[in-house]
Structures are given as structure tokens and as C-alpha cells.
């Protein structure tokens, strides 16, 4: 299970537990340090200091007793003074015993115990000397002679000096040991204190680091997705539905983000549908507006048209009256036309007869022209043979000239004749050439005449046919005119009915006009409504347009 | 008629005196050129009617005709002179030339008639005509009439062969 999937409660518990552990460690280290220092302090204040005090008291008592002994040596002292000295010595003994009892109860080190064991016999040894001194002193006070005095001073100043010094030395040794132990304890306490302070510093720093790290991790695991969710919410509030958060954790914040995401997704779907709907609405409303506008225009046009139609109907009514009159006169005219057609029919018959005569005459002309062409050709042939003869005459003339030349002087006259013949031949040749030319001209004319005649024949034929056709047309016309006459009678009666109809149409048109004006008013209202609808649609579109999908 | 003949004869004589020599010629047409042959070599002229082509003869010999019992060969001068055909040609008139035993016909488009020309008027044929036909030409008159040398034609190797 990843850390980020742990519930916030558990995360907080983990964080505070870590900090609690650190605090406990700090407390434990402090407690242990304090306890150790207390022990050392206890050693110093409850054992070593009383020990030293007791020892010092014993030492002072010993010295006080020794100084009392020395006072007893002084000569001429009153009994009261001696008594005071005895009292002081007893008080010193009492103090020493009290201190002795205190010291003996206190715990001792091994070394100290060893020294104590040495001291106790040394003290007892000294005390024996003291008691001897006291005996001597009593004797002296009773006897008061030089002998007692010397024994006493000897006992005080010489005999008891060695054990006194030994006991004093051992006491000093004991005091030294105690001081050393106290010093050691003090040193230990200082060490423990330094260690404890160092440990506390380390624990403090570790605690701070652990707190910061845990705090940061926990805070981050909570605030990062929360910040993203806040951004998402901000984006949604600005209409941006495209914003995405990427949070993959299962804690409460992750659940919140997922819920937000699902919410945005649903919002997006809804917005998309609304957008589609609004687009459709906008388009539809636009279409409705344009349609209604068209309808409105149409209705207005209809109203105008109806108005015009009403006028037109009135005109039509008047026109119908006129056409009724015309139909009457048409009836008269068609009667007259029928008479005229009968006359035309007769005329066409005469024309047909005339055309037949013309055709016969054209045929005659055609035949004549053909004969003329035939004769012309015959003349041509004759002219050709004349030309031929002229040619031969010419040759004959040349031959004659040659022969005449051969005849020499006798033939000279013949030469002339031959010349004449030749010139005649030439002339006749020229003449035939002219005739030929003329004949060619005639031939051309005749050919033209033939062509023209044929054309004429054809034209006459066509004319005959046309006339026949005209005859048929006039027959048809006659039939038509009769039909027209009948039709005109029917038109006249129809016109009467039309007139009656028109009289009914006029008020009907007035009603239609009124209705169409009402229609226009209604459509105007519909147009205004459609316009409002369109505006609404556009507004909705703008609003939805603010959402990014 | 007589007076007119006399007049004409006199005029001819004066013309002859003026020049020294008068030549009587018969003028004919080989389209489009005008030619002439001295009258004294011409025996007669006539229309060409039936001509019999003779195999194995040169291309300028058109064939032979029966002239009152005599067999006469007919020559096309255009072919002989290697002239190209120009214009419409008829070639239905025959001029028979004769000198001694030698006799043959020349076809022509038309016979213009007999006339006299001064020999002094004749000029040498132009250099451009030198060649095959030049041997057969005596001269050219100022109006472009080509006088053929009938003797040369009659004795010409080309024709005899």
C-alpha cells in the first residue's frame, strides 16, 4: 500500500506518532541524565559531605582534647579552671562519639573501609594514652609535686604524641579519600550532563528534521491534489470543462478529485447536449424567423394582390359587359361573313377554269419553241457544210494559184481568177462564221425560251394546284364561318352567365380582402415572437459558447 | 478583171525590180507559228482524208496516202523539228512538195494562201533556233514568217531515211 493511498487520519496519526516518539526519546534521555546526576549528587551531599564533616569533627575533638591535656600542664591553675578544662574535654569526647556514630552508619568505599580499620585501633590506642594522662592529671592535682607533674607532662607531650599523630594522619587520609570520591562523583555528574545535553541536541535536531519531513510529505499528499481540485473547480467556474486532474490516490482527497472529475464529465456531457440543443434551437429559430418573415412578406404581397385582384375583378366585370356587346355584334358579322364566303366559292370555280385554259396555251408555246430549236439545229448543219465548201474552195484556189504559177506567164490571168476565188471563199467563210454566231445566239435564246416555257408550265401547274387548294381552303373557311356563327351565339349566352357570376365574385373578393388584412396583422405578431425566440436562441448560444468542452 | 490582173502583175514586177528577187511562197500554219514554202516545190494542197500508218517508220512519218494512184508519205514537221504542241491543232491539210523523184506531204493546220516576199527582207534564223531544225530554215521575214528550205527538206537525210 502506497503512502499516498493511506487515509488522511492515518497519515496524521503516523506523523504525530513519529513526533511523539522523538519527544519520548528526548524525555528518556533527559530523565536518564537527570537520574544519573541525582545519584552522583546524592553520593556527594548525603555520603561524602557528612563523612567529611564527621571526620573533621572527630579530628577537631581530638585536637580539643589534646589542647585540654596541654592546659592541665599549666602551673597554678584554679580548680575551677581545671574543672572547665575537664568539661571541655568531655564535650569534645561527646562530639567525637556523636560524629563517630554518624560516620560509621554511612556507606564506605573499600579503600576507606581499609583505612577505617587501621584508624579504629589507632584511636583506641590514643584514647588509652589519654585515659593514662587523665589518671596522672588526677594524681598530680592531688599530690601536686614535681614527680607527678613530670610524669604527667611526659605522658602528655611524649607518650601520647605518636598515637595522636597517627590517628590524625589517618583521619586526614579518610578525608582525602572522601574528597576524591566526591570529586569523582562530581566529574561523573558533569560527564553525564554533557552526554545528556549532546543527546538532547541530537534528538532535538532529529525531531525537527523528522517533523519537517513527515509534515512536508503529509501536507504535500493532502495539498497537491487539493490544489489541483481547486484549480479544476476554478476552471469549471470559468466555464472551462476541458481541465483535467491527474490524481491517482485512494484517500479522501483522491476520492474528492475523482468525484469532481465525474462531476465535470457529467457537466461536460450535459453542456454538450445543451450546446447541440441550443445550436439546433438557434438554427431552428433563425429558420423560423426567416420563414415567418417570408410568410409575412407573402401575406403582405397577398393582401396587395387581393386588393389588386378586387380592382381587377371590377374591371373584368366591366370588360365582360363590353365583351357581351361585342359577342352580339360578332354574331351579326359572322352572318355577313357566311354570305361573303359563298360568293368567294363561286369566284374560285371561275379561276380554276381560267387556269386550265392557260395551261393548254402554255403547252402550245412549249411545242412551238421545241420545233424552233429543231429548225435552228438544221440551219446550223447547213451552215457547217457551207463553211466546209468554203474551205475546199480556198484549197482549190490555192491549187489553182500553184498551177497558174507553174503555167508561168500564161497562167497569170488565172492567178488573178484564183485570187478572186480565194477571196470569195474567204468571204463565204466569214459569212458562215457570222451565220454561225447568229445561230448560236438564236440557239441560246431558244434554249432560254425552252427553259422559260418549262418554268411557265410548271408555274401554271403550281398555280392550278394553289387555286385548287384555295378552293378547298375557301370550302373550309365556309364551314368555319358557319361554325363561328354558331359559336358566337354560344359565346353570347356564356357571356350572360359570366356576367351573373361576376356579380357574385365582387362581394366575395371584398371578404377575402378583409381576411388577408387580418392575416397580415397576425403574421406580424408571429414575426415579433419568432424574433424574440431567435434572440433567446442567440443568447443561449453565447452563454453555452463560454463553456469549453 | 483583166485590168486588175494586169495591175497586180505590174505591181509585182515593180516590187521585183526594186529588190532584184521575188519569191512566191505558200504560207501555212503550224500552230502557233507561221511557215512558208516556195511555191515552185509545191505540187498541190488538199484535205487529208484517209491515212495509212506504216510500221517501222520514224515517229515524224504519220503514214502514207494514196494520191490519185501515187503512194505519198506524210510528214509532221512539228515532230521532225521536235516542237511541242501548242494551242488547238487540226493538221488536216496536206501540202505536197516535190523535186525530181522525191515527193512527200507536210501536214498543216491551215493554208493561209500564196504570197510573194522579197529575198532581201529575209534575215538569218536566230541563233536560238540553231540545231536540229536550223538546217531546214532559209530565213525569217520581218513579220515572223519562217521560210522553210524545201530543197533541204527534200534532200534531207532525216526524211530519206
Amino acid at each position: 500500500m502506497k503512502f499516498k493511498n493511506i487515509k488522511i487520519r492515518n497519515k496524521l496519526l503516523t506523523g504525530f506518532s513519529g513526533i511523539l516518539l522523538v519527544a519520548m526519546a528526548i524525555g528518556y534521555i533527559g530523565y536518564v541524565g537527570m537520574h544519573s546526576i541525582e545519584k552522583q549528587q546524592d553520593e556527594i551531599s548525603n555520603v561524602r559531605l557528612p563523612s567529611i564533616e564527621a571526620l573533621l569533627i572527630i579530628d577537631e575533638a581530638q585536637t580539643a582534647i589534646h589542647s585540654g591535656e596541654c592546659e592541665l600542664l599549666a602551673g597554678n591553675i584554679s580548680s575551677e579552671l581545671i574543672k572547665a578544662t575537664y568539661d571541655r574535654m568531655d564535650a569534645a569526647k561527646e562530639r567525637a562519639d556523636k560524629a563517630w556514630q554518624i560516620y560509621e552508619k554511612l556507606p564506605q568505599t573499600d579503600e576507606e573501609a581499609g583505612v577505617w580499620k587501621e584508624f579504629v585501633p589507632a584511636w583506641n590506642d590514643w584514647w588509652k594514652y589519654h585515659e593514662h594522662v587523665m589518671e596522672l592529671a588526677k594524681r598530680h592535682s592531688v599530690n601536686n609535686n614535681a614527680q607527678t607533674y613530670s610524669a604527667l607532662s611526659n605522658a602528655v607531650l611524649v607518650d601520647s604524641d605518636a598515637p595522636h599523630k597517627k590517628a590524625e594522619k589517618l583521619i586526614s587520609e579518610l578525608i582525602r579519600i572522601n574528597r576524591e570520591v566526591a570529586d569523582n562523583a562530581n566529574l561523573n555528574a558533569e560527564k553525564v550532563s554533557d552526554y545528556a545535553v549532546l543527546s538532547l541536541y541530537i534528538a532535538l535536531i532529529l525531531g525537527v528534521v523528522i517533523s519537517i519531513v513527515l509534515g512536508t510529505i503529509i501536507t504535500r499528499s493532502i495539498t497537491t491534489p487539493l490544489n489541483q481540485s481547486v484549480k479544476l473547480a476554478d476552471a469549471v467556474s470559468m466555464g472551462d470543462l476541458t481541465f483535467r486532474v491527474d490524481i491517482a490516490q485512494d484517500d479522501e482527497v483522491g476520492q474528492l478529485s475523482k468525484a469532481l472529475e465525474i462531476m465535470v464529465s457529467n457537466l461536460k456531457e450535459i453542456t454538450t447536449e445543451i450546446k447541440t440543443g441550443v445550436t439546433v434551437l438557434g438554427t431552428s429559430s433563425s429558420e423560423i424567423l426567416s420563414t415567418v418573415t417570408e410568410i409575412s412578406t407573402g401575406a403582405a404581397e397577398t393582401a396587395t394582390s387581393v386588393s389588386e385582384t378586387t380592382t381587377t375583378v371590377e374591371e373584368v366585370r366591366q370588360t365582360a359587359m363590353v365583351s357581351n356587346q361585342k359577342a352580339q355584334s360578332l354574331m351579326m358579322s359572322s352572318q355577313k361573313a357566311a354570305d361573303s364566303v359563298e360568293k368567294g366559292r363561286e369566284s374560285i370555280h371561275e379561276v380554276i377554269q381560267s387556269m386550265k385554259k392557260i395551261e393548254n396555251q402554255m403547252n402550245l408555246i412549249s411545242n412551238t419553241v421545241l420545233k424552233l430549236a429543231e429548225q435552228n439545229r438544221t440551219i446550223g448543219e447547213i451552215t457547217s457544210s457551207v463553211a466546209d465548201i468554203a474551205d475546199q474552195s480556198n484549197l482549190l484556189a490555192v491549187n489553182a494559184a500553184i498551177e497558174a504559177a507553174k503555167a508561168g506567164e500564161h497562167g497569170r490571168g488565172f492567178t488573178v481568177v484564183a485570187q478572186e476565188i480565194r477571196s470569195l471563199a474567204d468571204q463565204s467563210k466569214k459569212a458562215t462564221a457570222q451565220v454561225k454566231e447568229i445561230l448560236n445566239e438564236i440557239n441560246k435564246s431558244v434554249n432560254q425560251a425552252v427553259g422559260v416555257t418549262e418554268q411557265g408550265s410548271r408555274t401554271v401547274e403550281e398555280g392550278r394546284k394553289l387555286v385548287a387548294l384555295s378552293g378547298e381552303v375557301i370550302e373550309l373557311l365556309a364551314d368555319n364561318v358557319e361554325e363561328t356563327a354558331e359559336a358566337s351565339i354560344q359565346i353570347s349566352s356564356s357571356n350572360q352567365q359570366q356576367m351573373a357570376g361576376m356579380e357574385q365574385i365582387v362581394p366575395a373578393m371584398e371578404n377575402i380582402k378583409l381576411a388577408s388584412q387580418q392575416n397580415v396583422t397576425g403574421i406580424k405578431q408571429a414575426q415579433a415572437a419568432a424574433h424574440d425566440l431567435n434572440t433567446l436562441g442567440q443568447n443561449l448560444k453565447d452563454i453555452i459558447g463560454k463553456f469549453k468542452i | 478583171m483583166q485590168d486588175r490582173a494586169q495591175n497586180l502583175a505590174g505591181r509585182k514586177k515593180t516590187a521585183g525590180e526594186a529588190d532584184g528577187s521575188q519569191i512566191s511562197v505558200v504560207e501555212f500554219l503550224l500552230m502557233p507559228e507561221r511557215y512558208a514554202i516556195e511555191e515552185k516545190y509545191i505540187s498541190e494542197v488538199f484535205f487529208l482524208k484517209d491515212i495509212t500508218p506504216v510500221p517501222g517508220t520514224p515517229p515524224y512519218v504519220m503514214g502514207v496516202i494514196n494520191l490519185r494512184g501515187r503512194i505519198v508519205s506524210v510528214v509532221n514537221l512539228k515532230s521532225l523539228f521536235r516542237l511541242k504542241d501548242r494551242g488547238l491543232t487540226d493538221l488536216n491539210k496536206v501540202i505536197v512538195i516535190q523535186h525530181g523523184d522525191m515527193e512527200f506531204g507536210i501536214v498543216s493546220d491551215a493554208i493561209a494562201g500564196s504570197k510573194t516576199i522579197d529575198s532581201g527582207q529575209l534575215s538569218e534564223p536566230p541563233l536560238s533556233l540553231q540545231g536540229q531544225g536550223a538546217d531546214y530554215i532559209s530565213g525569217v521575214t520581218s513579220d515572223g514568217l519562217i521560210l522553210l528550205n524545201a530543197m533541204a527538206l527534200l534532200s534531207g537525210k532525216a526524211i530519206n531515211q
Side-chain angles (χ1 to χ4, degrees), chain A residues 418-484:
Chain A
Q419 288 278 2
E420 286 302 317
I421 290 169
R422 213 176 70 82
S423 99
L424 279 174
D426 274 352
Q427 278 176 22
S428 46
K429 202 172 181 182
K430 275 175 194 163
T432 52
Q434 278 177 358
V435 169
K436 229 175 197 167
E437 259 174 49
I438 291 161
L439 274 177
N440 275 339
E441 290 294 317
I442 290 169
N443 218 12
K444 274 186 206 161
S445 302
V446 166
N447 280 340
Q448 277 179 2
V450 168
V452 169
T453 320
E454 274 174 13
Q455 270 185 1
S457 294
R458 255 182 265 137
T459 310
V460 167
E461 181 63 26
E462 280 170 16
R464 204 176 57 76
K465 280 181 189 165
L466 283 174
V467 166
L469 210 67
S470 318
E472 285 168 21
V473 169
I474 283 182
E475 289 289 336
L476 270 174
L477 188 61
D479 291 348
N480 286 342
V481 164
E482 276 170 23
E483 281 172 15
T484 307

Side-chain angles (χ1 to χ4, degrees), chain A residues 388 391-392 394-396 398-399 401-403 405-406 409 412-413 415-417 419-420 422-423 426 429, chain B residues 1 4-6 8-10 12-13 26 39-40 42-47 49 93 98 111-114:
Chain A
D388 216 28
D391 253 0
Q392 285 182 15
N394 185 33
L395 279 190
L396 275 175
V398 172
N399 278 332
I402 292 163
E403 291 303 325
K406 282 176 185 166
E409 206 55 38
R412 177 107 4 126
T415 305
V416 176
V417 174
Q419 288 278 2
E420 286 302 317
R422 213 176 70 82
S423 99
D426 274 352
K429 202 172 181 182
Chain B
M1 192 79 153
R4 203 174 156 196
Q6 289 258 302
L8 274 168
K12 219 172 231 176
K13 202 174 263 173
V26 169
E39 210 167 53
K40 59 184 178 188
I42 295 172
S43 56
E44 63 180 296
V45 293
F46 56 89
F47 274 99
K49 279 183 184 133
K93 281 131 191 131
Q98 186 184 26
I111 309 294
S114 56

Side-chain angles (χ1 to χ4, degrees), chain A residues 34-228:
Chain A
M34 292 295 278
H35 187 70
S36 180
I37 290 164
E38 197 187 290
K39 233 165 92 183
Q40 301 298 335
Q41 211 176 13
D42 191 53
E43 173 85 16
I44 292 166
S45 61
N46 288 341
V47 179
R48 298 305 149 195
L49 281 180
S51 293
I52 289 167
E53 196 187 9
L55 288 169
L56 282 174
I57 288 169
I58 290 168
D59 190 28
E60 182 264 329
Q62 197 186 18
T63 309
I65 289 170
H66 183 64
S67 68
E69 282 173 353
C70 287
E71 278 175 24
L72 290 179
L73 289 176
N76 305 325
I77 47 166
S78 61
S79 55
E80 282 109 26
L81 267 175
I82 288 166
K83 199 171 180 299
T85 304
Y86 279 153
D87 286 346
R88 270 205 312 274
M89 275 163 51
D90 284 342
K93 178 70 172 97
E94 217 167 297
R95 281 202 309 267
D97 285 344
K98 237 183 221 174
W100 192 279
Q101 272 169 2
I102 288 167
Y103 181 76
E104 236 175 0
K105 281 173 192 166
L106 289 169
Q108 291 166 355
T109 61
D110 292 343
E111 193 192 2
E112 197 184 356
V115 174
W116 183 253
K117 267 180 191 164
E118 261 181 72
F119 170 70
V120 173
W123 179 271
N124 285 335
D125 193 30
W126 170 68
W127 192 252
K128 271 178 196 159
Y129 280 101
H130 171 65
E131 278 178 343
H132 179 66
V133 165
M134 287 311 283
E135 254 177 54
L136 290 174
K138 274 172 187 167
R139 242 181 259 157
H140 177 64
S141 60
V142 174
N143 300 335
N144 209 357
N145 57 23
Q147 201 191 352
T148 52
Y149 182 76
S150 94
L152 182 64
S153 68
N154 196 37
V156 169
L157 295 175
V158 180
D159 294 338
S160 70
D161 188 56
H164 176 85
K165 289 257 169 80
K166 196 184 175 188
E168 200 169 33
K169 195 185 157 201
L170 283 170
I171 284 173
S172 297
E173 183 68 19
L174 280 173
I175 288 167
R176 187 192 56 81
I177 287 166
N178 269 305
R179 176 159 293 158
E180 263 177 19
V181 170
D183 281 349
N184 277 338
N186 194 32
L187 222 68
N188 276 341
E190 265 174 24
K191 265 188 202 162
V192 168
S193 163
D194 284 351
Y195 178 74
V197 165
L198 188 70
S199 300
L200 276 176
Y201 275 137
I202 289 167
L204 212 65
I205 289 163
L206 267 174
V208 166
V209 167
I210 287 167
S211 300
I212 287 170
V213 167
L214 275 175
T216 309
I217 288 169
I218 290 165
T219 309
R220 189 169 290 171
S221 76
I222 293 165
T223 53
T224 308
L226 263 180
N227 281 338
Q228 285 201 28

